[in-house]
Amino acid sequence: MDASLEKIADPTLAEMGKNLKEAMKMLEDSQRRTEEENGKKLISRDIPGPLQGRIQNIGEQGHMALLGHSLGAYISTLDKEKLRKLTTRILSDTTLWLCRIFRYENGCAYFHEEEREGLAKICRLAIHSRYEDFVVDGFNVLYNKKPVIYLSAAARPGLGQYLCNQLGLPFPCLCRVPCNTMFGSQHQMDVAFLEKMIKDDIERGRLPLLLVANAGTAAVGHTDKIGRLKELCEQYGIWLHVEGVNLATLALGYVSSSVLAATKCDSMTMTPGPWLGLPAVPAVTLYKHDDPALTLVAGLTSNKPADKLRALPLWLSLQYLGLDGIVERIKHACQLSQRLQESLKKVNYIKILVEDELSSPVVVFRFFQELPDSDPVFKAVPVPTMTPSAVGRERHSCDALNRWLGEQLKQLVPASGLTVMDLEAEGTCVRFSPLMTAAVLGTRGEDVDQLVACIESKLLVLSSTLQLREEFKQEVEATAGLLYVDDPNWPGIGVVRYEHANDDKSSLKSDPEGEKIHAGLLKKLNELESDLTFKIGPEYKSMKSCLYVGMASEDMDVAELVETIAATAREIEENSRLLENMTEVVRKGIQEAQVELQKANEERLLEEGVLRQIPVVGSVLNWFSPVQALQKGRTFNLTAGSLESTEPIYVYKAQGAGVTPPPTPSGSRTKQRLPGQKPFKRSLRGSDALSETSSASHIEDLEKVERLSGGPEQITLEASSTEGHPGAPSPQHASQSEAFQKGAPHPEDDHPQVEGAESLR
């Protein structure tokens, strides 16, 4: 850098170089490195306002790239002659370094912000090269002999439409080449079919213009047979352009033959910014062409200094990193992908979609559920006996499980940079591309190991959920009031809907009453604090509300879960009905109570006489002859909606003072849980999880809980068996049984109040 500046002898440039040198020393300060290792965000700390604390720690090389933008604005203020010399030198040095690093000899470079812009410029260059009269006649030349641009079926979505919009070409000028269907990777271009298409286009009077090949497809990172494609393009005079993430491996010592063949292509587009973790760095298109006039017309070269200054951030970053730093970053990303590949090979039910394990820096994997009645090793091809609808349902179900797996892994290991994508042939997959994310996120080998551990733990949940789905379906179908909803897009154990009394089963419209019941059901289930996740939403094929039950572990008690859902939903429905009818019932009850109270007053007047109602006379009569009047009143039963006399209540309180009311009866299948045991979990009895020292105590606790839960019934049975025993009972026993029947306190009974209440009831 200093040598390039010394050749342009100018005090201003010398001062600029001095300032730049001081800035680099600041970035290399050991104290700054120590603070960054401790996790202090220096950049965000110094910026006030809404950006404070939200700027990502981009590292020293990122600061150098950002410094290039500020320095470019500073350089643009120089004298035109000095600016021309400096920008030309920066552009030529950056082009030379990139060509040497990525083994592209005698190439030129075009720097652009939009990644697809370079390919559009290359298409313009190819048009000007093949149509000599294009500058004069324009699109009349293209009309007489239409150009054809060949794209792979695995190319980036929207690439063909972008090219047509930029070039002003109709969509029939695009030709989509299918991938292999019989042999080779399903993401590689079918070379034999491409050659057939080229011959057909030539016979129709069209001009094969350009072919876009992939060195690492956008989805799974597969590389086309670039060597064979290059021979085909040379045979028919077609321009070959290559793009893809695998082009980064050209900087390594060992490169696969398929990627190495890209160095012989006519042009290639690279994105060194994500590869090296450099923010705001332009993409680069390297190309080979001998006519500078055509490159100028196509827009690949420019005489404007501002266009040449686009390379300044990359020029500074390459000097700061050096060749060793660039190779180390790319090598580290490839090692991370290989480490994950080797680990996933040992994991069951995980399939890796990789073409070449030694060269591809992209790992794409997915979970495969085991089909019924199949071998232990999962078969990728569906069974021939399965109907197309069953195959489609299995596909949707597997996609939902993989989507859930990918989202869980992204949350648990955010440094991995995983992405969830949908492929046409394979379905939903999870992609790990450290070459595009590791430099920015700081992915390490420990993160890969953590990712593999999370995958193994989630596979246990996936397998247990698949096993419990059929049991959940059977339990729901056997429970009155519940309807099982088959939704293949839900990854949990199943979907259920409660059918209330006013539910119109034939209608597909939304049901407000059902939505209210399911909303209350969701609230009640979430209050139980179980390990399950619940959510409500519309049904798969209608607008009716349903309850979605999430993933489950192997110790899940499905019977208890379904019973709790049904009982809770019925309780909510009954409570809602009670509230709806409350106003009318209370109004009628008040009117009836007023009528009865009026009758009671008339009866009291008849019993006491008219004289007792006179103020003075009545007081004298009441003093000489008091009236023994009973306390009469009315109680309103909200559940039954009827009026009842209060006389039994006073009698009950007078005779049974101190007697507690009877306990609320519990369900016949209510499960007793140990302290700390979460809902919907199977009992620990018989489980291998019990240790030798604690198993006995746990079993004894369970037996005690069961005895206590059946206390009143058991005592009643024992009393009846004693009465029916041959032989006359003792007087003490007879008096005890008589007292027990009358509800009196028993001196030897553990539950006297409960039994007394039972007899009164």
Side-chain angles (χ1 to χ4, degrees):
M1 180 184 63
D2 294 339
S4 62
L5 294 176
E6 288 174 359
K7 292 183 179 181
I8 310 174
D10 187 270
T12 304
L13 295 181
E15 183 180 359
M16 182 190 67
K18 181 180 179 181
N19 296 336
L20 181 59
K21 191 173 183 180
E22 292 178 358
M24 294 181 66
K25 287 182 179 180
M26 291 174 60
L27 295 175
E28 296 173 355
D29 190 2
S30 59
Q31 182 179 1
R32 189 181 186 90
R33 289 185 177 181
T34 305
E35 290 179 350
E36 288 182 355
E37 291 176 355
N38 293 336
K40 295 182 179 180
K41 301 180 180 180
L42 300 178
I43 300 301
S44 61
R45 181 190 63 186
D46 299 335
I47 298 179
L51 294 180
Q52 188 171 4
R54 299 185 181 182
I55 297 182
Q56 188 177 4
N57 188 10
I58 57 179
E60 298 176 4
Q61 72 282 352
H63 295 312
M64 183 58 66
L66 296 177
L67 181 62
H69 290 273
S70 301
L71 189 59
Y74 178 72
I75 293 176
S76 62
T77 61
L78 297 177
D79 183 72
K80 291 185 178 181
E81 185 63 23
K82 299 173 184 178
L83 180 61
R84 183 187 62 82
K85 293 181 180 180
L86 183 58
T87 54
T88 302
R89 184 58 183 267
I90 292 174
L91 180 62
S92 60
D93 288 350
T94 310
T95 302
L96 180 61
W97 296 338
L98 291 174
C99 291
R100 289 181 178 179
I101 293 173
F102 296 101
R103 308 184 185 190
Y104 197 77
E105 299 178 356
N106 302 325
C108 302
Y110 172 67
F111 300 90
H112 46 93
E113 301 295 336
E114 218 284 338
E115 186 177 349
R116 301 172 295 181
E117 183 182 352
L119 178 57
K121 301 291 185 182
I122 291 297
C123 291
R124 293 182 185 275
L125 178 61
I127 291 176
H128 284 282
S129 301
R130 296 299 301 273
Y131 295 92
E132 298 180 356
D133 300 333
F134 181 74
V135 179
V136 179
D137 298 336
F139 286 95
N140 292 328
V141 181
L142 303 181
Y143 179 79
N144 297 330
K145 200 170 187 179
K146 296 180 181 179
V148 182
I149 300 176
Y150 300 94
L151 296 176
S152 172
R156 287 178 294 171
L159 181 60
Q161 183 179 2
Y162 173 82
L163 293 177
C164 289
N165 293 337
Q166 294 295 319
L167 301 174
L169 297 177
F171 288 110
C173 293
L174 291 177
C175 187
R176 198 172 184 84
V177 183
C179 297
N180 294 324
T181 56
M182 299 297 295
F183 304 99
S185 170
Q186 296 182 357
H187 299 273
Q188 281 184 341
M189 193 182 301
D190 192 341
V191 181
F193 197 85
L194 172 63
E195 186 175 6
K196 180 178 180 300
M197 296 173 68
I198 293 174
K199 293 180 179 180
D200 293 343
D201 290 333
I202 295 176
E203 293 178 357
R204 296 176 183 177
R206 298 181 178 181
L207 178 63
L209 182 66
L210 185 137
L211 171 65
V212 182
N214 293 309
T217 56
V220 297
H222 286 195
T223 303
D224 292 327
K225 300 177 181 179
I226 300 179
R228 180 72 181 92
L229 294 176
K230 178 59 179 176
E231 297 176 359
L232 195 64
C233 291
E234 290 179 349
Q235 179 180 354
Y236 294 97
I238 303 175
W239 186 288
L240 178 61
H241 179 83
V242 181
E243 60 180 16
V245 69
N246 290 353
L247 292 175
T249 59
L250 291 172
L252 303 179
Y254 171 78
V255 187
S256 63
S257 58
S258 57
V259 179
L260 188 61
T263 58
K264 306 299 181 183
C265 65
D266 298 305
S267 60
M268 65 171 66
T269 298
M270 301 181 299
T271 55
W275 299 348
L276 306 177
L278 304 175
V281 169
V284 184
T285 297
L286 301 179
Y287 63 95
K288 297 177 182 178
H289 201 270
D290 299 333
D291 194 345
L294 293 181
T295 58
L296 181 62
V297 173
L300 291 170
T301 57
S302 176
N303 295 326
K304 298 180 180 180
D307 296 337
K308 297 180 181 180
L309 282 176
R310 292 178 184 173
L312 182 57
L314 190 56
W315 181 74
L316 291 174
S317 301
L318 293 178
Q319 288 191 95
Y320 179 79
L321 291 174
L323 179 61
D324 296 338
I326 296 172
V327 174
E328 180 63 27
R329 288 177 178 272
I330 298 176
K331 184 178 180 181
H332 173 67
C334 295
Q335 289 176 350
L336 290 177
S337 63
Q338 293 175 9
R339 186 170 184 169
L340 181 61
Q341 289 174 13
E342 294 297 330
S343 301
L344 291 181
K345 289 179 182 178
K346 306 174 185 178
V347 181
N348 295 329
Y349 308 128
I350 291 291
K351 180 183 179 181
I352 308 176
L353 309 177
V354 182
E355 171 206 19
D356 189 354
E357 299 178 358
L358 299 178
S359 63
S360 178
V362 180
V363 182
V364 179
F365 60 92
R366 71 190 308 261
F367 166 74
F368 268 69
Q369 67 183 93
E370 187 173 357
L371 292 175
D373 303 331
S374 62
D375 296 332
V377 180
F378 185 80
K379 299 181 180 180
V381 182
V383 217
T385 57
M386 296 181 64
T387 61
S389 60
V391 174
R393 186 185 179 282
E394 292 293 335
R395 168 71 178 269
H396 287 295
S397 176
C398 194
D399 290 346
L401 295 174
N402 281 278
R403 195 175 297 109
W404 175 87
L405 176 62
E407 296 297 334
Q408 291 291 316
L409 296 177
K410 287 169 61 177
Q411 296 178 4
L412 295 174
V413 194
S416 61
L418 296 177
T419 55
V420 181
M421 58 181 183
D422 295 326
L423 301 179
E424 184 177 356
E426 290 81 3
T428 303
C429 301
V430 183
R431 179 177 60 187
F432 176 67
S433 182
L435 197 56
M436 302 296 291
T437 59
V440 178
L441 300 177
T443 311
R444 302 174 299 173
E446 292 79 5
D447 297 325
V448 176
D449 298 337
Q450 181 185 0
L451 178 61
V452 176
C454 292
I455 292 175
E456 293 176 348
S457 64
K458 295 303 177 182
L459 285 180
L460 298 177
V461 180
L462 289 171
S463 60
S464 60
T465 301
L466 291 175
Q467 294 174 0
L468 294 175
R469 279 184 172 181
E470 187 62 28
E471 182 182 355
F472 179 79
K473 180 180 180 181
Q474 295 176 0
E475 290 288 342
V476 171
E477 292 177 348
T479 304
L482 296 183
L483 176 65
Y484 179 80
V485 179
D486 188 7
D487 189 351
N489 295 325
W490 175 247
I493 62 175
V495 185
V496 61
R497 187 175 80 236
Y498 177 73
E499 295 181 320
H500 54 89
N502 300 327
D503 189 5
D504 187 2
K505 301 180 181 180
S506 61
S507 176
L508 300 179
K509 298 181 180 180
S510 60
D511 183 13
E513 184 178 355
E515 293 178 1
K516 184 178 180 181
I517 295 176
H518 285 90
L521 178 61
L522 177 65
K523 182 180 179 181
K524 292 285 186 181
L525 293 176
N526 289 332
E527 291 176 354
L528 298 177
E529 297 182 356
S530 64
D531 293 336
L532 285 173
T533 57
F534 302 94
K535 62 175 293 188
I536 58 173
E539 188 183 342
Y540 178 58
K541 296 181 180 179
S542 70
M543 298 301 295
K544 293 185 177 182
S545 181
C546 296
L547 178 69
Y548 291 79
V549 186
M551 311 296 286
S553 55
E554 59 183 357
D555 58 346
M556 182 61 56
D557 192 342
V558 179
E560 182 189 1
L561 170 63
V562 175
E563 182 182 2
T564 303
I565 293 175
T568 307
R570 282 193 292 266
E571 180 183 358
I572 294 174
E573 183 183 9
E574 293 174 359
N575 293 337
S576 63
R577 288 182 182 177
L578 180 61
L579 292 176
E580 291 175 358
N581 301 329
M582 185 71 68
T583 304
E584 185 66 21
V585 171
V586 170
R587 186 181 63 82
K588 292 182 179 179
I590 291 175
Q591 294 176 355
E592 184 179 352
Q594 290 176 348
V595 173
E596 292 189 4
L597 289 176
Q598 186 177 0
K599 291 181 179 179
N601 290 331
E602 294 176 356
E603 293 176 359
R604 185 172 60 85
L605 288 175
L606 295 176
E607 292 178 359
E608 296 178 356
V610 180
L611 293 178
R612 292 184 183 271
Q613 309 304 321
I614 302 175
V616 178
V617 178
S619 300
V620 174
L621 291 176
N622 290 333
W623 183 74
F624 282 105
S625 176
V627 178
Q628 301 294 333
L630 295 177
Q631 296 180 356
K632 296 182 179 180
R634 297 293 184 269
T635 61
F636 186 67
N637 192 338
L638 292 177
T639 305
S642 60
L643 285 175
E644 299 177 358
S645 176
T646 58
E647 185 175 355
I649 298 178
Y650 294 118
V651 175
Y652 175 77
K653 286 188 175 181
Q655 296 180 357
V659 179
T660 58
T664 303
S666 58
S668 59
R669 295 183 60 184
T670 302
K671 181 179 177 181
Q672 300 293 338
R673 292 190 296 270
L674 292 176
Q677 183 180 0
K678 291 189 175 182
F680 315 131
K681 294 291 184 181
R682 290 194 177 97
S683 175
L684 297 177
R685 180 179 297 181
S687 174
D688 296 337
L690 295 175
S691 62
E692 297 179 358
T693 58
S694 62
S695 59
S697 62
H698 282 295
I699 295 176
E700 290 177 359
D701 292 340
L702 286 172
E703 293 176 351
K704 290 180 180 179
V705 170
E706 293 175 357
R707 287 200 300 270
L708 290 176
S709 63
E713 292 81 2
Q714 186 176 359
I715 293 174
T716 305
L717 290 176
E718 289 178 357
S720 62
S721 63
T722 305
E723 293 175 357
H725 194 275
S730 62
Q732 181 181 5
H733 291 168
S735 61
Q736 290 177 359
S737 61
E738 183 180 357
F740 176 79
Q741 295 175 359
K742 292 182 179 180
H746 197 289
E748 297 179 0
D749 197 353
D750 295 337
H751 308 280
Q753 298 179 355
V754 176
E755 295 300 335
E758 289 289 342
S759 62
L760 287 176
R761 186 175 60 180

